[in-house]
Amino acid sequence: MNATVSTAATRRRRLRTVPIVVLVAWLLTSMFAPSMANAAPADDANAGVNRFGACLAAQHSGQVLLLIDESRSLQQTDPQAARVTAAKYLTEQLADFATSTDANLDIAVSGFSDSYHNYLGWTKLQGSSVGTVNSAIDQLGNANNGQDTDYWLALDGARQTLAQKRPADANVQGCQMIAWFTDGELDFTPRSGVTKPYAPGQSLDTEADRTAMIASAQQSICRSGGLADQLRSSGIVTIAIGLSANEGQQPNFDLLKSIATGEPTSTGPCGDIREPVPGDFYPASNIDDLLFAFDNLSTPGQPPLTQETGACVVRVCEQAKHRFVLDSAVGSVSILAAADRSGLVPVLIAPNGSEIRMQPSSPNSVTQGGVKIDYRFPSDKSVSIQMSNSSAQLWTGVWALVFLADSDEAARTRSSIHITGDLRPVWTGEDTTTLHSGDTDIPMSFAIQNTAGNPVDAAGLPGTAALTTTLVTASGKEIPIAANVGKDKITAPQRLNLDGVDPGRATLRMTLAVTTASARDSTGRTVPGTELSPSTVDLPVVISPPVGYPTIAGRVDFGTITGAGSGTAALSITGPGCVWLNASQPPKFLATPDDAGTLTVGANASAQDACVKVDEGQTGNLDLTLTAPNAVNGTANGTVIVMVAPKDGSGEPLPVEVPFTVALQKPLNTTNFIVTLVIALILGPLIPLLLLYLAKWFTARIPGHALRAEQFRIRLNGTTVVRENGAPFAVGDTDFVRLVPALDGPARRIDLGGVVLRTRIGKSPFGAGFVTASAPGMAGAAGKAAQWWGKTPDARLPLAVHNSWFILHDPRGPEQSATLVMLVGGDADRSRIDQLVREVNESVPTVLPRLRAKALERLGDDAPPPSSGPDVNPFGGGGAPPGGGPTQGNPFGASGGAQPPGQGYAPPTQAGPGYAPPTQAAPRPPGQAYPGQGHPGQGHPAPNNPFGPGSAGPPQQGPSGPFGPGPSGTGRPGNPFQP
């Protein structure tokens, strides 16, 4: 985090740089009774996550932003990048949750320290995108050189990122959550020349400046209506995870906790908005604590069943079992379990008594009685298990998890069992019932559906079920509808009384509590059913004015106002009735940016005699205008009072509180812009040609967006493109799994292990630059238009190389052979990949002959005669040349053996296993390539290959993905294109 600048700073540093060690004594203390089948979740500790889950259950879509600390103190507190392991675990669990609940969940990844930047934009989280997300998270493993831990920049950056996904529907606020990880307090490194947006004119030169800067940041975050309230009033749930060391004095996370939860701490209060619960805070001291902290977020709205007990010695015992009972009400199960030491063996016991022993060396996917069981080991003391296929015969019954120790030492184990119910409550009258203020007898009906949206006979559930329904007004008042209605009466009619309830937005909260049916275990003993986490659905609704009054929309969004000025939004009206803004009552602001001044809201109708009148069944608009006197950055949220009345004046006007939001943004510096423009207009005709070239060179850069690269050996069989095994060309399941590393910003050169992408500006000073792809001794052409450049020629691509392809061909080799290189954007889905594959199959039969002819022109008399011999690898491999020397011309393949189809480049991060830093290769004769790489982690590193080691022989452990071991290796990432 901070550099050592004084004795006081050194003491502070020691609070945060103690290495992470193993679990401490508190894990050895039993926090729960020995394993109980009906252990209940601790709802209070997960109130923020549950709130996000209830929103997600109602709206079926939401966003999660992973916000990860990058301060330099992580080099000591988290040298093994446990935060990366835990964040990737969360991503995989959330993907499973989204699939099992049919939720549309988007995820983004950002980092912060002395700045905020995004590693991955919004990406739909599903099985096919987990690899993309995890590759972005991997980049954070080495991101630990930041000089500050600037909470303000982290939260304001998160605010702006989440604003990109603001719902278009004015009646809903959306479901958004920040998963925020840091290892330290709000702090700064004193240094010159630094300013912060929340402290204009304030320097950071001295220790006194540092103290003042901390105070300024905290004030801006925690003041009434400050940054914390901006997030809360926007409906954003904040989950904070604080990593501390197990030794030495601990960092004070009270401010972090107060920002996340709204609870006053030793640092004082933070913000005014505390209801609904703003979020949660979880402390962690090692990787297993981090895993359990992130695990709390993995099934939003369905908190896990937590248990702690001992371990069995050598064989399975009853007293150390973590039990749970399943039946048809359960859709899937995920388990995170850990021991307080390494070396223990987890064992899953099925209802029929069969045992599944899980070890790192054993297969990580098994099927038992039709139940699919996948497991992996996030750390040397923990195991993650997923169970699916609830229709299997063995699914129903008593399951248990135990840990086996090889001695009778007092080992302790804990588990976090997520049992995802396949049931959720629904309001059957959502589309047919209008809630009117003042109505005393509104019919309400409810039912149960599964995650596929199909109705479920509640009375036929094997266990017990109870439904509680409540209407919660915007002020927090709860109006009960029905409480703990048994499964046989869930569909019975209920009544809602809205007497004395004002019009406006509200939430219909439906909570379904299910307990699975009791069952007998393999010994014949009856085990009570498991009480599942209650399934809560928070459905946004609008309480309309009484019959005869107009109905208005639930929310107003003024969009973005740049600089001091105004923004207009239309409040939709459905008649009959009369609507106007209550000008005598100013807007109420819940949150505003620093120095925003007095914001005002006006309307085109501000009195009853000039109201907007709408006839029965017709629609209209009340045009509202928000005026911002100052140019600031931030979000303003509040409410205005709109009056409604019958069109004929037969009823008294009623006030309706309407929430609104607006994004405020500073404009460009006008003075600097005008000066620059004037200079350009005066001097423009005199600018030397060199400056035009310089400008073109400056802009000629490959965009710093996530990129995947894969190479394939291909040949032509007539007019058909086939792979080296003769199969028609297609993309395999293990292709395009990870990202090309180090492309976190615009680049002028990318080395793909011997094939180099370089930016060029060409001969003309006008137009855009381009990229060439070259390999020693090879000619190249790009795309269906066979674009090339230079005498060789080299393949020519646009600066945005993402989602393009090119071929490389040795004109001295077989005329039908080439290597295809495909460059795919990190956010490309399967349909985009398939489009590129179709283009390759259609274009290569014409592009390859043209490329060969062009290359032979350059060779002239040196051109070889047509080859009629057997097809060989155009990049070498397949056998060593006489004398055992290296093979020729293959920047990709193994130097001592043929490379399997789909062999990719190497691990995605330079700090990953098997990585070797690039070495400077000696100059090579024309036409001779660099020795390629083989299976990552074997042999010696290939010269000039920044991605990983080479190989002296064919890969082991089966086929390979594009950056690492294949399916039977231990490091293979998930396939982004298959569930």
Side-chain angles (χ1 to χ4, degrees):
M1 184 177 161
N2 297 348
T4 302
V5 295
S6 69
T7 302
T10 302
R11 286 196 297 270
R12 282 190 299 274
R13 189 68 62 252
R14 293 194 186 111
L15 303 185
R16 304 183 52 198
T17 56
V18 182
I20 298 173
V21 294
V22 296
L23 292 173
V24 287
W26 68 270
L27 266 183
L28 304 179
T29 304
S30 177
M31 296 165 55
F32 301 91
S35 179
M36 297 292 292
N38 58 351
D43 289 337
D44 291 344
N46 303 299
V49 178
N50 292 343
R51 175 183 154 212
F52 174 72
C55 178
L56 197 61
Q59 300 186 30
H60 309 294
S61 66
Q63 296 83 40
V64 175
L65 173 64
L66 298 183
L67 182 58
I68 311 296
D69 193 350
E70 299 175 313
S71 59
R72 66 178 58 167
S73 58
L74 291 163
Q75 296 174 18
Q76 285 77 40
T77 57
D78 190 19
Q80 302 302 317
R83 64 195 181 281
V84 170
T85 301
K88 289 166 68 174
Y89 168 80
L90 172 62
T91 295
E92 293 160 6
Q93 296 298 101
L94 282 174
D96 290 338
F97 173 77
T99 300
S100 63
T101 58
D102 198 29
N104 186 0
L105 195 60
D106 295 314
I107 193 167
V109 181
S110 294
F112 78 97
S113 55
D114 46 48
S115 63
Y116 173 95
H117 53 277
N118 189 252
Y119 284 89
L120 180 69
W122 289 112
T123 301
K124 183 176 181 180
L125 188 55
Q126 53 191 351
S128 61
S129 64
V130 167
T132 298
V133 179
N134 282 348
S135 294
I137 295 172
D138 276 329
Q139 298 179 55
L140 288 155
N142 288 330
N144 53 11
N145 291 302
Q147 299 188 73
D148 304 331
T149 301
D150 194 331
Y151 287 4
W152 193 96
L153 290 180
L155 294 173
D156 189 64
R159 175 192 63 80
Q160 296 180 60
T161 299
L162 288 163
Q164 298 170 7
K165 299 293 287 186
R166 191 159 46 194
D169 186 353
N171 288 311
V172 298
Q173 193 169 45
C175 311
Q176 298 187 323
M177 181 173 74
I178 303 171
W180 180 19
F181 165 86
T182 182
D183 75 329
E185 307 168 29
L186 170 66
D187 206 356
F188 302 91
T189 297
R191 57 199 188 276
S192 61
V194 175
T195 59
K196 299 288 185 177
Y198 46 84
Q202 186 172 319
S203 63
L204 191 55
D205 297 341
T206 67
E207 274 293 304
D209 292 338
R210 169 190 161 275
T211 301
M213 192 67 77
I214 292 174
S216 295
Q218 181 173 340
Q219 164 67 14
S220 182
I221 294 171
C222 294
R223 66 172 174 82
S224 176
L227 184 52
D229 281 343
Q230 290 178 47
L231 294 171
R232 297 168 189 172
S233 60
S234 297
I236 298 169
V237 175
T238 302
I239 309 299
I241 299 170
L243 174 65
S244 59
N246 275 335
E247 297 178 352
Q249 192 171 354
Q250 304 297 301
N252 184 350
F253 283 128
D254 279 358
L255 176 59
L256 181 69
K257 180 179 180 180
S258 188
I259 293 172
T261 66
E263 299 175 9
T265 63
S266 65
T267 59
C270 190
D272 291 341
I273 300 174
R274 300 176 188 173
E275 291 294 337
V277 176
D280 304 322
F281 170 74
Y282 300 101
S285 59
N286 50 58
I287 183 172
D288 295 296
D289 281 353
L290 279 178
L291 288 169
F292 275 87
F294 276 102
D295 187 69
N296 283 307
L297 319 185
S298 64
T299 54
Q302 300 182 14
L305 310 176
T306 55
Q307 304 175 33
E308 184 174 344
T309 184
C312 300
V313 180
V314 180
R315 64 185 63 184
V316 172
C317 58
E318 290 298 315
Q319 66 271 21
K321 285 184 176 180
H322 302 254
R323 293 187 182 88
F324 54 99
V325 182
L326 305 183
D327 63 18
S328 59
V330 176
S332 62
V333 176
S334 65
I335 302 171
L336 177 66
D340 63 354
R341 65 202 66 184
S342 59
L344 275 65
V345 178
V347 180
L348 189 65
I349 299 99
N352 61 2
S354 58
E355 299 179 1
I356 300 99
R357 299 196 175 210
M358 292 167 281
Q359 296 179 339
S361 59
S362 61
N364 58 10
S365 182
V366 296
T367 300
Q368 191 78 15
V371 178
K372 189 173 186 295
I373 301 167
D374 298 295
Y375 61 90
R376 63 187 184 88
F377 295 85
S379 77
D380 61 351
K381 297 188 290 292
S382 61
V383 62
S384 169
I385 306 168
Q386 285 75 42
M387 301 170 55
S388 57
N389 192 14
S390 59
S391 61
Q393 184 175 359
L394 193 61
W395 182 264
T396 300
V398 182
W399 290 79
L401 176 69
V402 299
F403 280 84
L404 299 185
D406 56 7
S407 68
D408 59 356
E409 295 181 8
R412 301 297 297 174
T413 63
R414 56 174 171 166
S415 65
S416 176
I417 303 176
H418 299 258
I419 302 179
T420 304
D422 192 35
L423 308 174
R424 64 183 182 91
V426 294
W427 176 30
T428 58
E430 178 180 359
D431 297 328
T432 58
T433 304
T434 300
L435 305 180
H436 286 285
S437 172
D439 278 4
T440 59
D441 191 27
I442 302 175
M444 303 289 288
S445 57
F446 303 94
I448 305 299
Q449 290 182 353
N450 59 22
T451 52
N454 299 318
V456 173
D457 179 13
L461 294 174
T464 64
L467 178 64
T468 298
T469 51
T470 306
L471 187 75
V472 184
T473 67
S475 63
K477 179 181 179 181
E478 295 187 358
I479 303 170
I481 301 174
N484 294 318
V485 176
K487 65 180 183 180
D488 55 337
K489 296 182 180 180
I490 285 178
T491 58
Q494 307 292 338
R495 308 312 256 191
L496 172 62
N497 185 347
L498 293 181
D499 184 30
V501 179
D502 293 333
R505 56 194 169 91
T507 299
L508 178 60
R509 178 165 296 153
M510 300 169 281
T511 301
L512 179 67
V514 175
T515 300
T516 60
S518 59
R520 294 184 182 276
D521 63 14
S522 57
T523 67
R525 184 169 66 96
T526 299
V527 178
T530 297
E531 180 184 344
L532 307 186
S533 302
S535 173
T536 299
V537 177
D538 280 353
L539 183 68
V541 296
V542 174
I543 301 175
S544 299
V547 175
Y549 285 74
T551 300
I552 60 177
R555 295 176 59 82
V556 172
D557 189 340
F558 287 100
T560 300
I561 298 177
T562 301
S566 300
T568 301
L571 177 66
S572 64
I573 307 167
T574 302
C578 178
V579 179
W580 69 97
L581 178 69
N582 185 350
S584 65
Q585 190 165 351
K588 176 184 177 182
F589 285 93
L590 302 175
T592 56
D594 293 343
D595 303 318
T598 302
L599 306 178
T600 60
V601 177
N604 61 336
S606 300
Q608 185 171 7
D609 57 1
C611 69
V612 176
K613 295 183 179 181
V614 182
D615 293 332
E616 173 79 37
Q618 301 299 308
T619 59
N621 293 319
L622 175 66
D623 293 330
L624 299 174
T625 300
L626 185 144
T627 301
N630 300 326
V632 293
N633 288 321
T635 299
N637 294 318
T639 58
V640 293
I641 300 299
V642 172
M643 305 301 294
V644 297
K647 185 180 179 183
D648 59 6
S650 60
E652 290 295 321
L654 295 177
V656 179
E657 190 176 57
V658 179
F660 67 82
T661 185
V662 61
L664 303 176
Q665 180 176 295
K666 287 184 177 180
L668 294 174
N669 187 305
T670 306
T671 301
N672 290 346
F673 176 76
I674 293 176
V675 170
T676 303
L677 179 62
V678 170
I679 292 174
L681 291 174
I682 295 175
L683 300 181
L686 306 178
I687 293 176
L689 194 61
L690 179 60
L691 292 182
L692 294 178
Y693 279 112
L694 181 61
K696 185 175 181 181
W697 172 86
F698 183 79
T699 58
R701 294 187 291 179
I702 300 171
H705 304 314
L707 177 67
R708 303 172 182 277
E710 185 69 87
Q711 62 87 15
F712 306 90
R713 294 177 186 154
I714 61 172
R715 59 185 173 85
L716 290 181
N717 185 359
T719 59
T720 301
V721 181
V722 299
R723 297 178 74 154
E724 62 179 358
N725 61 1
F729 174 70
V731 172
D733 288 346
T734 57
D735 299 328
F736 303 111
V737 176
R738 295 192 181 180
L739 303 176
V740 172
L743 191 60
D744 54 356
R748 301 190 190 281
R749 185 181 189 276
I750 300 176
D751 191 333
L752 303 179
V755 172
V756 177
L757 305 184
R758 288 189 181 88
T759 59
R760 309 278 188 180
I761 62 172
K763 297 179 180 180
S764 171
F766 304 105
F770 56 92
V771 174
T772 60
S774 61
M778 311 302 294
K784 60 184 179 182
Q787 295 287 317
W788 55 59
W789 181 83
K791 294 181 179 180
T792 303
D794 294 326
R796 173 172 172 162
L797 301 102
L799 290 172
V801 299
H802 306 68
N803 302 318
S804 63
W805 59 270
F806 60 91
I807 59 172
L808 297 171
H809 173 68
D810 182 0
R812 302 176 186 273
E815 57 184 313
Q816 302 299 325
S817 298
T819 285
L820 166 70
V821 181
M822 298 181 70
L823 306 172
V824 176
D827 57 354
D829 57 15
R830 183 64 197 227
S831 63
R832 187 70 181 92
I833 304 292
D834 289 342
Q835 181 181 349
L836 289 174
V837 170
R838 286 193 297 271
E839 186 176 300
V840 165
N841 283 318
E842 293 171 356
S843 305
V844 168
T846 58
V847 170
L848 180 55
R850 291 175 58 194
L851 173 61
R852 182 175 178 85
K854 178 66 176 180
L856 291 177
E857 287 180 11
R858 183 183 67 84
L859 292 178
D861 295 338
D862 294 331
S867 171
S868 58
D871 187 19
V872 297
N873 173 12
F875 288 97
T887 57
Q888 300 283 324
N890 183 2
F892 295 107
S895 58
Q899 187 181 22
Q903 179 67 39
Y905 296 114
T909 61
Q910 295 185 352
Y915 170 78
T919 58
Q920 185 64 40
R924 299 179 179 274
Q928 180 171 334
Y930 297 99
Q933 74 170 63
H935 191 60
Q938 300 173 356
H940 304 287
N944 278 0
N945 179 2
F947 298 112
S951 174
Q956 305 297 317
Q957 303 180 7
S960 172
F963 290 96
S968 57
T970 59
R972 177 187 182 273
N975 171 17
F977 303 121
Q978 297 293 334

